[in-house]
Amino acid sequence: IGNVKNFNDSYCAHELKLFDIDDGKYTYADGDVYVGEWKDDNFHGYGKYTHADGSIYHDGMWKDNKRVR
């Protein structure tokens, strides 16, 4: 997977807003989950994306919905 899925098939709960960065959890209809920071409705900052089967896609930094390290 190069990019994360769009947000139309899922549930999103933003929990905290600090400056221009949100911190929250996003659960897709298929059970995949992203927990971490957001900016302008994109994964941005530190976050962890886990597939429904429990495998970790990425645990680290994101920029504009893309893994950076």
Side-chain angles (χ1 to χ4, degrees), residues 27-43:
T27 302
Y28 289 92
D30 66 2
D32 287 1
V33 176
Y34 172 81
V35 177
E37 297 176 322
W38 303 75
K39 182 175 181 183
D40 299 326
D41 293 326
N42 291 309
F43 301 168

Side-chain angles (χ1 to χ4, degrees), residues 4-16:
V4 295
K5 296 174 273 187
N6 69 41
F7 300 138
N8 295 329
D9 65 348
S10 54
Y11 168 77
C12 181
H14 287 292
E15 298 166 352
L16 177 65

Side-chain angles (χ1 to χ4, degrees), residues 1-4 34 37 43-49 57-69:
I1 299 175
N3 293 313
V4 295
Y34 172 81
E37 297 176 322
F43 301 168
H44 194 92
Y46 175 77
K48 183 176 180 181
Y49 189 106
Y57 171 64
H58 183 64
D59 185 358
M61 298 303 291
W62 297 80
K63 182 174 181 181
D64 299 323
N65 277 353
K66 296 182 181 167
R67 301 177 294 172
V68 293
R69 59 182 165 122

